[in-house]
């Protein structure tokens, strides 16, 4: 992966970026699990998942300054730090968040109605997922162990991370992947906070972007997020392109939807966790 500026991130910066990335993954999966519950008419469970999500958003706001979109990354590092008091608050909150999430997940994945509406529904085989270019939970639910975090960017190379994989390739498998990733994400946050090294949070960067090109891949909650940037030696980029995971996962609906029952269509579409507005950015 090339960098537009030849700036090396400090170890603390790498851990901070990882912590916030996993907080974002946790709140995104909680949002989706709530929507899944809502799709089956489980209104109380929908509110419970979103209640837990609010606690995660509170932690993001306390540490990063904003809720859904922290906007803490800057060239060479981050603009905010996590102090000792904030670290303690987060570490105290995460076990409860994990326990409450796990209790709700057990109810959802073992519910007869959920299983009857998701098992064997919207199947994408391993070969189809690969050929269609699926990413994230959609790809891993079909048995492909692919996750950009395996490239060990930021602090992932120093954490206990393994991709969550299911093999059935149906709506139920995609739900299981996200549910298990939620719990794994909380564990990664705890590990990263306990290993958080001391040091600077941003390197000093001078000058304008050089006249070169750079790409970057990260593992967003919905899957691989691809960035392309081209500098021209001025303060304004010549080109900036972002390919979101939804764009990569949309073609899978061409395999999932044909032959399905009409009442299953909303659940199948929901199973790829589409975000059309970010795809069209």
């Amino acid at each position: 992966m090339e960098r537009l500026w030849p700036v090396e991130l400090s170890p603390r910066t790498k851990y901070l970026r990882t912590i916030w990335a996993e907080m974002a993954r946790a709140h995104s999966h909680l949002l989706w699990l709530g929507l899944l519950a809502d799709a089956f008419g489980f209104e109380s469970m929908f509110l419970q998942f979103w209640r837990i999500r609010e606690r995660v958003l509170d932690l993001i706001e306390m540490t990063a300054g904003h809720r859904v979109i922290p906007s803490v990354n800057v060239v060479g590092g981050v603009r905010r730090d996590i102090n000792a008091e904030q670290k303690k608050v987060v570490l105290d909150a995460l076990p409860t968040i994990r326990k409450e999430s796990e209790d709700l997940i057990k109810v959802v994945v073992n519910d007869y109605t959920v299983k009857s509406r998701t098992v064997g529904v919207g199947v994408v085989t391993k070969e189809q997922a690969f050929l269609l270019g699926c990413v994230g939970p959609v790809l891993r639910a079909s048995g492909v162990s692919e996750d950009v975090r395996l490239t060990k960017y930021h602090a992932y190379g120093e954490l206990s991370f393994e991709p969550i994989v299911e093999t059935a390739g149906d709506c139920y498998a995609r739900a299981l992947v996200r549910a298990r990733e939620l719990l794994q994400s909380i564990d990664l946050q705890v590990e990263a906070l306990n290993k958080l090294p001391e040091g600077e949070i941003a390197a000093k960067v001078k000058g304008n972007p050089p006249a070169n090109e750079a790409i970057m891949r990260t593992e967003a909650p919905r899957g691989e997020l691809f960035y392309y940037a081209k500098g021209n030696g001025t303060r304004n980029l010549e080109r900036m392109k972002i390919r979101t995971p939804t764009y990569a996962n949309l073609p899978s609906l061409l395999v999932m939807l044909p032959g399905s029952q009409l009442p299953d269509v909303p659940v199948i579409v929901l199973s790829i966790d589409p975000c059309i507005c970010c795809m069209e950015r």
Side-chain angles (χ1 to χ4, degrees), residues 169-181:
D170 54 14
C171 291
Y172 187 70
R174 291 187 282 276
L176 286 179
V177 168
R178 291 191 180 91
R180 292 173 58 196
E181 281 190 359

Side-chain angles (χ1 to χ4, degrees), residues 58-275:
D58 288 342
L59 296 178
I60 297 175
E61 182 178 23
M62 178 189 69
T63 56
H66 295 276
R67 290 169 66 79
V68 178
I69 304 176
S71 299
V72 290
N73 290 334
V74 294
V75 176
V78 290
R79 58 166 53 95
R80 294 175 70 102
D81 201 353
I82 296 178
N83 60 39
E85 182 180 350
Q86 293 171 335
K87 176 180 174 180
K88 184 179 184 306
V89 171
V90 177
L91 285 174
D92 288 344
L94 287 178
T96 302
I97 291 173
R98 192 189 195 287
K99 176 65 168 56
E100 292 179 356
S101 299
E102 190 172 19
D103 289 343
L104 286 177
I105 287 170
K106 289 178 181 178
V107 176
V108 172
V109 300
N110 293 315
D111 183 83
Y112 171 79
T113 302
V114 173
K115 285 187 173 182
S116 65
R117 294 283 303 280
T118 57
V119 173
V121 175
V123 175
V124 179
T125 67
K126 183 176 183 179
E127 293 74 20
Q128 289 171 329
F130 184 81
L131 290 174
L132 290 168
C134 296
V135 296
V138 176
L139 180 64
R140 292 189 286 277
S142 293
V144 181
S145 181
E146 178 65 34
D147 192 306
V148 182
R149 290 174 288 180
L150 287 172
T151 63
K152 301 180 180 181
Y153 70 92
H154 294 345
Y156 288 109
E158 301 172 32
L159 301 177
S160 305
F161 169 74
E162 290 292 336
I164 302 295
V165 179
E166 294 286 337
T167 58
D170 54 14
C171 291
Y172 187 70
R174 291 187 282 276
L176 286 179
V177 168
R178 291 191 180 91
R180 292 173 58 196
E181 281 190 359
L182 165 60
L183 303 179
Q184 180 192 57
S185 177
I186 296 171
D187 294 340
L188 288 172
Q189 292 173 55
V190 172
E191 184 180 359
L193 283 164
N194 285 324
K195 291 183 176 180
L196 183 62
E198 297 296 330
E200 297 295 325
I201 63 171
K204 293 183 179 180
V205 179
K206 296 182 180 180
N208 294 320
N212 63 3
E213 299 172 293
I215 62 170
M216 181 65 185
R217 297 160 58 226
T218 65
E219 188 70 25
R222 293 176 175 87
E224 180 184 302
L225 186 56
F226 184 91
Y227 294 88
Y228 167 81
K230 183 177 182 179
N232 54 16
T234 71
R235 62 181 297 177
N236 298 317
L237 292 175
E238 185 169 313
R239 188 170 184 214
M240 179 71 180
K241 171 67 177 177
I242 303 173
R243 195 207 69 174
T244 64
T246 296
Y247 188 84
N249 284 326
L250 273 180
S252 65
L253 293 177
L254 297 176
V255 173
M256 298 180 193
L257 291 173
S260 63
Q261 298 294 315
L262 184 60
D264 292 331
V265 171
V267 175
I268 292 173
V269 174
L270 176 65
S271 75
I272 73 166
D273 194 9
C275 182

